[in-house]
Amino acid sequence: MKAALVIQNWYRRYRARLTARQHYALAIFQSVEYADEQGQMQLSNFFSYMLENYGKTRKEDSAVVTRLFESTMRENKDRQEYVGLVEVPDSYDGPRLHFPLTSNDIDLLLQAFKQQQILHAHYVLEVLFEARKVLKQMPNFTHIRTFPSKDITVCGDLHGKLDDLLLIFYKNGLPSENNPYVFNGDFVDRGGNSMEILMILLVSFLVYPTDLHLNRGNHEDFMMNLRYGFTREILHKYKLHGRKILQILEEVYTWLPIGTIIDNEILVIHGGISESTDLNTLHKIQRNKMRSVLMPPMSINQEHSIDLRKNKIGPSTAMPGKAESEKLPSEQLTKHEWEQIIDLLWSDPRGRKGCYPNTSRGGGCYFGPDVTSRILSKNQLKMLIRSHECKPDGYEICHDGKVITVFSASNYYEEGSNRGAYIRLSYGSTPQFFQYQVTSTSCLSPLHQRVSAMEFSAFRILKERMLSRKTDLINAFQLRDYSRSGRISLAQWAFSMESILGLNLPWRSLSSQLVNIDHDGNVDYMSSFEDVHIEKPVKEMKSSIIETLYRYRSDLEIIFNVIDTDHSGLISMDEFRTMWKLFNTHYNVHIDDSQIDELANTMDFNKDGSIDFNEFLKAFYVVHK
Amino acid sequence: MAEEKEREGTEAIVADLHKKIKEAFEVFDHETNNTVDVREIGTIIRSLGCCPTEGELHDFIAEVEEEEPTGYIRFEKFLPVMTKALLERKYRPIGEDVLLRAFEVLDPAKRGFLTKDELIKYMTEEGEPFSQEEMEEMLSAAIDPESNAINYRDYIAMMVIDEN
């Protein structure tokens, strides 16, 4: 072979390997992300279960659960009560907004946030109240038009990544009457500047209410925020007034419009559609009754027997509940209405025809090109623009050009994982796509370094996942290890991994990075666990308990936060015990009462009868050697 | 008896290969409808350990394409051709030593390096020329900005570490 050809041939193989590794890393990030979301949905069943069972527990216990659902019945929040009581000290040197807001305030915020300043709680609350007032008057779907001189820009998920929003404004200009924008949901969670993004978007909306459009995403949901970081961000940045902010925020979310319709042709919504999507119904729904994906409508009929469908992933169970019987039927959506909204916020397009439950996420559905065609033509629409899924190039077109996904958070999983994009829609022409990637260093590192960094991150996450299911995994492996040699075939290993972890990944291709393989092609299955372990907060705790707590720590964090209605970070020992017993039964965890008591005592660091659960949960982390 | 065992063994090997190929294919099957963009075929084949030249890749694609090329390759057509290629050990990868010798051929003066211009000339004018994108990418990792040259021994060593 000629010398040049040898080098080219070798290089092309090397380059292809890098691309494949990048794709594998992305596949890992994505499947773990969706599996987490599924866990989120299953938490919904637990809340339903709690509601059902509190009547059977002790009176003291019932108080806990009542408090839990008492928080669902809030009175109309009075503005004066909140904003008026929060004063801005003279010493505050952050941005000061002036109402009514003008474009100057937008500039002010951008400047301030670039310098990492924090907007004072007083202004945050004012903005939220104003936004609530204006949003209330908007229909579920906003209709807008392009004009020969007025393009519309559509942006996807930002997830608290301020740099991406700043980059978009830099490249595409600030919002104005001549530069309208649609932000298609998921402004918050995950990234560290969710509050800043939300403030910029809401202020811009208040200044240009007919030119800056906000659609609700599945993360504009106070329960999602509990798990995915925004609640934590707020309580961290606003130690004094965070609680007030959270309360109003919850309501503001419910008033965000569901979608936007452009030129009567293009439907812009966060997730997707289902075969039963009915725009007529959706136009009339009282959208503000959709509080959270984890709070499905419940029947108020006490006579009906309980039918807890634990296996079905999906909302709405029919059950009695003292708290709910006091709730007027008009305060809830019907099951059909609720599902209509969930579908719009959670569904994903796929190549397979038909409509199937979205098993990765546990909510919404997978919809095929036939569903798209049918629903679009039924509503005289030509195209669907949605977000919700991270794409390597920032956008993706599918279903014969009828569905566009746009995602605006670059480097979403890891530095170098993906580009972000936005779309410009012009009057009478095809959509234009603009891509970008925010880099923290001034020069982009070579591809192989970026891929290595991504891989490193992805495999850490995967290892931690494996660790949280260690016992089940080892059981599965041993089941196939007839000779007790500690080795099984690659095929057996791959099968076990997939069935226990429930992640659809190319296990054979990933195996070399996860486990030791001998020259016969057999897997030493225990080798995966040699370089990782969960740090024990207390030496005497049993490994099985540690593993269980580690596995469910996200769920526990949410449950604790919901019980802790005054956001003090503390719950009482009694509350802890009650909640844990219910959790134990529902999740089938097998930790007996004495161990729970021991656990409670361990967590009572100050020995004052209260548990600082944040401290406790922080103590569970994985050590990578 | 021995023949039966051998057949069983081969069947098991083929079954395993099928799974491996399916995994690699699915990673690039974005719409989950058992097709991939034809432009990704090269990447998939190479990720499975093969090292076809551009010419060989062209032939492979011709074999798996539809009668009327659609821009997409279906898994049903891809699987048998790929399985055969793996079983026959077609498109063997190039060893480090062969790669080193190739560089040495281009560097007859035995300086131990090639200048940036020389590398560009060889890669874009001979063999199966690089596209501009390919050239730029190789340069970004290979060229030492101070000397404006590629020390090929170091380069090979670095790439080998990265691979493992």
Side-chain angles (χ1 to χ4, degrees):
Chain A
M1 225 193 214
K2 283 177 63 183
L5 188 57
V6 166
I7 299 174
Q8 289 156 342
N9 184 293
W10 175 89
Y11 181 77
R12 283 177 171 125
R13 161 142 201 271
Y14 167 74
R15 179 66 177 78
R17 275 282 299 154
L18 278 182
T19 307
R21 282 163 63 192
Q22 192 177 36
H23 274 75
Y24 292 152
L26 277 173
I28 292 175
F29 283 128
Q30 206 154 63
S31 58
V32 171
E33 177 184 17
Y34 296 166
D36 272 349
E37 288 185 348
Q38 191 189 99
Q40 182 82 357
M41 294 298 248
Q42 286 173 349
L43 195 56
S44 168
N45 286 339
F46 176 62
F47 285 131
S48 309
Y49 176 78
M50 275 180 87
L51 195 65
E52 176 215 339
N53 281 283
Y54 91 90
K56 300 180 187 158
T57 57
R58 307 174 302 163
K59 212 159 170 239
E60 302 88 77
D61 294 346
S62 73
V64 174
V65 188
T66 309
R67 226 177 65 174
L68 182 72
F69 290 95
E70 191 183 283
S71 62
T72 71
M73 295 182 291
R74 291 193 198 286
E75 325 83 54
N76 218 334
K77 291 155 197 128
D78 184 39
R79 187 178 187 138
Q80 258 317 102
E81 188 188 314
Y82 282 78
V83 183
L85 294 176
V86 180
E87 280 189 18
V88 186
D90 289 335
S91 57
Y92 170 69
D93 62 353
R96 289 169 187 264
L97 301 176
H98 294 91
F99 289 79
L101 297 167
T102 63
S103 59
N104 282 337
D105 296 290
I106 302 177
D107 291 332
L108 205 63
L109 280 188
L110 289 171
Q111 270 299 95
F113 292 154
K114 276 181 196 159
Q115 289 159 36
Q116 279 105 47
Q117 290 180 334
I118 294 182
L119 182 65
H120 195 276
H122 173 96
Y123 298 115
V124 173
L125 289 166
E126 280 233 68
V127 168
L128 288 173
F129 270 103
E130 268 303 308
R132 182 182 75 168
K133 190 172 89 181
V134 180
L135 285 170
K136 260 185 176 174
Q137 293 156 22
M138 305 192 65
N140 292 344
F141 290 86
T142 325
H143 282 76
I144 52 180
R145 305 197 71 93
T146 53
F147 289 98
S149 55
K150 204 161 137 165
D151 291 352
I152 296 177
T153 306
V154 181
C155 298
D157 299 28
L158 285 168
H159 279 303
K161 320 232 21 239
L162 183 59
D163 287 340
D164 285 289
L165 183 59
L166 295 175
L167 187 57
I168 294 172
F169 283 165
Y170 176 73
K171 282 174 73 117
N172 197 54
L174 290 178
S176 71
E177 308 93 343
N178 296 317
N179 196 16
Y181 276 87
V182 178
F183 286 92
N184 202 15
D186 280 11
F187 324 124
V188 301
D189 274 338
R190 299 191 200 272
N193 291 105
S194 298
M195 180 51 90
E196 285 72 40
I197 292 204
L198 188 64
M199 283 297 111
I200 293 171
L201 292 180
L202 288 179
V203 166
S204 304
F205 165 69
L206 289 170
V207 177
Y208 302 108
T210 50
D211 295 299
L212 190 307
H213 307 278
L214 302 172
N215 292 339
R216 191 176 184 183
N218 63 313
H219 278 262
E220 274 71 55
D221 176 328
F222 77 104
M223 286 233 165
M224 293 293 279
N225 293 165
L226 280 171
R227 186 185 209 138
Y228 291 103
F230 190 25
T231 307
R232 214 177 298 134
E233 183 186 320
I234 292 177
L235 293 176
H236 178 75
K237 286 178 176 163
Y238 299 96
K239 295 188 168 60
L240 219 56
H241 304 292
R243 176 191 153 217
K244 293 195 187 101
I245 293 175
L246 285 171
Q247 286 178 345
I248 311 299
L249 184 60
E250 193 188 313
E251 218 194 319
V252 170
Y253 283 154
T254 65
W255 284 111
L256 286 168
I258 300 171
T260 312
I261 298 177
I262 303 178
D263 291 337
N264 277 326
E265 287 186 336
I266 304 176
L267 177 63
V268 188
I269 45 173
H270 179 74
I273 51 177
S274 78
E275 63 197 349
S276 49
T277 291
D278 175 11
L279 281 184
N280 287 326
T281 307
L282 283 161
H283 276 295
K284 298 188 212 129
I285 284 179
Q286 291 183 280
R287 68 177 188 273
N288 67 306
K289 290 182 184 170
M290 169 56 172
R291 292 185 62 228
S292 166
V293 69
L294 289 191
M295 299 190 128
M298 299 187 194
S299 156
I300 44 115
N301 194 330
Q302 283 184 293
E303 265 81 72
H304 284 187
S305 55
I306 304 142
D307 178 27
L308 227 195
R309 287 163 285 173
K310 276 194 200 179
N311 293 323
K312 176 170 174 167
I313 298 172
S316 59
T317 44
M319 53 190 48
K322 187 172 169 211
E324 291 312 295
S325 68
E326 283 156 22
K327 215 180 190 180
L328 299 166
S330 64
E331 276 187 43
Q332 294 189 90
L333 293 171
T334 64
K335 176 183 168 203
H336 175 71
E337 288 173 335
W338 195 80
E339 278 175 356
Q340 287 278 311
I341 303 185
I342 294 285
D343 284 340
L344 287 196
L345 263 42
W346 283 80
S347 301
D348 293 313
R350 283 291 181 270
R352 195 155 69 125
K353 285 193 178 163
C355 192
Y356 306 89
N358 191 324
T359 45
S360 295
R361 298 193 197 256
C365 69
Y366 290 130
F367 60 100
D370 52 330
V371 176
T372 301
S373 289
R374 208 174 335 120
I375 300 290
L376 285 181
S377 64
K378 193 171 102 175
N379 293 283
Q380 287 107 42
L381 296 165
K382 294 221 180 102
M383 181 162 50
L384 174 65
I385 297 182
R386 44 88 65 177
S387 305
H388 197 41
E389 283 183 292
C390 176
K391 298 292 176 192
D393 289 318
Y395 75 95
E396 193 172 272
I397 306 176
C398 65
H399 290 191
D400 246 341
K402 297 209 179 85
V403 176
I404 301 179
T405 303
V406 63
F407 193 86
S408 302
S410 68
N411 303 333
Y412 179 58
Y413 293 118
E414 179 58 71
E415 187 78 34
S417 65
N418 65 291
R419 292 150 116 177
Y422 57 88
I423 308 175
R424 274 185 83 91
L425 299 166
S426 300
Y427 182 78
S429 71
T430 53
Q432 280 181 295
F433 299 91
F434 295 84
Q435 299 160 299
Y436 53 84
Q437 197 157 10
V438 169
T439 48
S440 59
T441 45
S442 50
C443 53
L444 204 55
S445 45
L447 183 63
H448 69 99
Q449 276 181 20
R450 281 182 280 139
V451 172
S452 289
M454 258 181 84
E455 253 186 352
F456 184 73
S457 207
F459 280 103
R460 267 177 93 101
I461 290 175
L462 195 49
K463 271 277 176 87
E464 289 178 3
R465 200 79 185 188
M466 285 171 69
L467 206 51
S468 74
R469 306 297 295 268
K470 185 173 170 184
T471 311
D472 290 339
L473 277 172
I474 295 181
N475 285 338
F477 294 146
Q478 285 177 337
L479 211 64
R480 291 164 175 87
D481 181 12
Y482 310 119
S483 55
R484 299 233 154 270
S485 59
R487 286 166 203 286
I488 52 179
S489 73
L490 185 57
Q492 289 169 319
W493 180 84
F495 182 80
S496 308
M497 291 290 280
E498 170 122 3
S499 60
I500 299 292
L501 294 180
L503 298 172
N504 181 11
L505 289 172
W507 293 109
R508 283 165 185 75
S509 311
L510 300 175
S511 58
S512 56
Q513 301 255 38
L514 292 171
V515 79
N516 292 339
I517 306 177
D518 62 27
H519 37 253
D520 291 329
N522 289 322
V523 169
D524 171 4
Y525 52 81
M526 291 303 289
S527 58
S528 304
F529 304 108
E530 275 166 15
D531 58 350
V532 275
H533 67 266
I534 305 169
E535 192 59 52
K536 277 190 195 181
V538 175
K539 289 274 172 259
E540 303 82 46
M541 254 197 224
K542 271 205 196 151
S543 304
S544 54
I545 302 186
I546 305 271
E547 190 182 312
T548 305
L549 287 171
Y550 177 73
R551 180 170 160 190
Y552 290 108
R553 74 197 184 295
S554 296
D555 289 351
L556 289 172
E557 188 175 359
I558 295 181
I559 296 169
F560 286 142
N561 269 297
V562 173
I563 292 178
D564 176 30
T565 48
D566 61 1
H567 297 292
S568 59
L570 304 168
I571 56 174
S572 75
M573 294 275 268
D574 269 345
E575 286 168 340
F576 173 77
R577 285 200 185 91
T578 308
M579 182 239 69
W580 186 259
K581 279 195 203 131
L582 289 174
F583 187 87
N584 210 358
T585 325
H586 180 78
Y587 278 83
N588 240 334
V589 205
H590 308 304
I591 295 183
D592 62 46
D593 280 3
S594 62
Q595 287 173 320
I596 292 175
D597 282 340
E598 208 184 298
L599 191 63
N601 285 321
T602 311
M603 290 171 74
D604 182 6
F605 299 122
N606 302 326
K607 300 281 170 265
D608 62 354
S610 72
I611 293 165
D612 183 339
F613 55 84
N614 284 319
E615 280 302 311
F616 182 72
L617 289 171
K618 255 194 265 172
F620 287 100
Y621 59 93
V622 172
V623 176
H624 295 263
K625 289 208 199 96
Chain B
M1 259 302 265
E3 240 180 65
E4 231 180 76
K5 269 210 161 150
E6 207 183 287
R7 219 183 319 133
E8 258 175 39
T10 319
E11 272 171 26
I13 292 177
V14 171
D16 244 1
L17 270 181
H18 280 181
K19 292 225 175 77
K20 196 168 164 202
I21 296 171
K22 187 159 194 284
E23 271 186 1
F25 190 89
E26 279 178 351
V27 171
F28 291 88
D29 177 12
H30 301 299
E31 290 204 34
T32 44
N33 56 359
N34 290 326
T35 66
V36 300
D37 190 318
V38 65
R39 291 166 293 185
E40 317 241 54
I41 290 291
T43 309
I44 300 175
I45 296 177
R46 288 169 174 135
S47 76
L48 286 163
C50 298
C51 223
T53 62
E54 291 291 284
E56 288 168 329
L57 185 58
H58 214 75
D59 294 338
F60 187 101
I61 291 176
E63 242 190 288
V64 298
E65 247 177 352
E66 305 294 323
E67 294 284 318
E68 301 270 342
T70 59
Y72 289 95
I73 305 295
R74 285 187 299 125
F75 181 65
E76 302 86 62
K77 294 203 95 174
F78 180 76
L79 183 63
V81 182
M82 191 69 230
T83 309
K84 187 155 173 276
L86 284 177
L87 284 172
E88 292 175 2
R89 297 178 184 272
K90 253 177 157 181
Y91 320 128
R92 310 289 332 260
I94 291 167
E96 277 169 57
D97 47 341
V98 177
L99 185 59
L100 182 59
R101 263 180 280 140
F103 272 108
E104 285 175 344
V105 163
L106 299 181
D107 174 29
K110 306 268 173 278
R111 297 161 299 174
F113 64 85
L114 290 175
T115 68
K116 180 174 166 185
D117 289 335
E118 284 169 350
L119 185 65
I120 293 178
K121 180 158 104 66
Y122 287 127
M123 296 294 103
T124 58
E125 288 176 21
E126 297 195 18
E128 289 173 331
F130 273 172
S131 68
Q132 194 191 359
E133 205 191 321
E134 283 172 319
M135 191 69 252
E136 274 171 17
E137 260 179 32
M138 183 180 184
L139 288 173
S140 75
I143 294 290
D144 172 9
E146 277 181 34
S147 60
N148 229 20
I150 165 176
N151 178 321
Y152 47 82
R153 278 180 188 272
D154 288 348
Y155 178 64
I156 295 174
M158 180 172 73
M159 295 295 114
V160 165
I161 292 176
D162 185 55
E163 276 282 290
N164 301 334

